[in-house]
Amino acid sequence: MAAPPQLRALLVAVNALLRKRRYHAALAVLKGFRNGAVYGAKIRAPHALVMTFLFRNGSLQEKLWAILQATYMHSWNLAWFVFTYKGLRALQSCIQGKTYPAHAFLAAFLGGILVFGENNNINSQINMYLLSRVLFALGRLAVEKGYIPEPRWDPFPLLTAVVWGLVLWLFEYHRSTLQPSLQSSMTYLYEDSNVWHGISDFLIYNKSRPSN
């Protein structure tokens, strides 16, 4: 079935507007908002689904609501951050007539405070995810710039050993310092595996189900 003439005319007008270079910066901000929302939902929904059904107690309705809340918050925050970042970069470029490297840091700095500044579980996970990658990238950048010599051997095995040694030491003796979701995961792996009452909660279930 063919689209009505009015709809076809509207689509032609919209596509013509989208192709105009004079509006590119503003439209890029809007598409950034769209991409942030979509990507945030794609990333958070599967993670929230798995973590909620593995570790969260409550009814099915409560679990589904928790998944929707986490997905919405991640999607909304990421959408607004991309919108803010791209908007501030475009504004700085417009004011100064060109783009400078400092624009990226300043725009993201302000966007981070405005969007991800609240200390909650979702923002904490996102920030820690980024922190690990930033530290890796800064190490590589320091080598590229010659600030530190390039290692003559692969440091990854040593880094791995230190990370795992520290996280298990923290879990065993300073557990409260770890993020709650990590505590839950490690409890499942290292403590729940110490307890069973029969074949059902040894092999099939993590914990025995209450008898009726």
Side-chain angles (χ1 to χ4, degrees):
M1 181 177 178
Q6 297 88 343
L7 180 58
R8 291 201 302 270
L10 177 61
L11 291 175
V12 169
V14 169
N15 285 330
L17 176 66
L18 293 175
R19 295 189 186 101
K20 289 185 180 293
R21 295 299 303 175
R22 63 184 298 185
Y23 302 126
H24 183 268
L27 293 171
V29 172
L30 293 178
K31 186 171 183 183
F33 182 91
R34 177 264 179 200
N35 283 8
V38 171
Y39 187 79
K42 284 183 176 181
I43 292 297
R44 177 56 57 175
H47 177 270
L49 177 68
V50 171
M51 297 302 290
T52 298
F53 278 94
L54 274 179
F55 301 115
R56 190 184 183 97
N57 296 321
S59 65
L60 177 61
Q61 182 178 358
E62 290 171 336
K63 291 180 178 180
L64 292 176
W65 180 243
I67 294 168
L68 288 175
Q69 282 184 310
T71 302
Y72 172 79
M73 179 178 290
H74 194 145
S75 177
W76 180 257
N77 283 4
L78 191 56
W80 272 113
F81 177 82
V82 177
F83 181 90
T84 303
Y85 171 74
K86 291 178 70 70
L88 289 175
R89 286 207 67 182
L91 180 62
Q92 292 175 97
S93 179
C94 180
I95 292 173
Q96 296 192 278
K98 60 183 295 188
T99 299
Y100 295 95
H103 289 175
F105 177 84
L106 183 58
F109 181 88
L110 293 174
I113 291 176
L114 294 173
V115 178
F116 292 113
E118 181 182 349
N119 189 0
N120 56 52
N121 289 338
I122 301 298
N123 290 346
S124 179
Q125 289 171 4
I126 294 172
N127 288 337
M128 285 191 290
Y129 173 90
L130 289 176
L131 176 62
S132 63
R133 281 144 182 82
V134 167
L135 292 176
F136 265 87
L138 288 176
R140 294 190 182 105
L141 182 62
V143 172
E144 289 179 6
K145 297 294 185 180
Y147 300 138
I148 59 175
E150 185 170 357
R152 288 177 290 182
W153 44 272
D154 185 5
F156 189 80
L158 178 60
L159 174 65
T160 300
V162 171
V163 168
W164 281 96
L166 285 174
V167 75
L168 265 300
W169 173 73
L170 288 169
F171 175 72
E172 297 289 357
Y173 300 105
H174 304 279
R175 186 173 307 184
S176 62
T177 62
L178 296 174
Q179 192 186 23
S181 62
L182 181 57
Q183 291 183 42
S184 297
S185 299
M186 299 185 80
T187 298
Y188 181 87
L189 292 170
Y190 304 113
E191 290 194 345
D192 290 358
S193 55
N194 291 333
V195 179
W196 62 88
H197 302 89
I199 188 64
S200 64
D201 59 350
F202 182 83
L203 191 61
I204 302 174
Y205 305 109
N206 177 45
K207 295 182 179 180
S208 58
R209 295 185 171 184
S211 56
N212 295 327

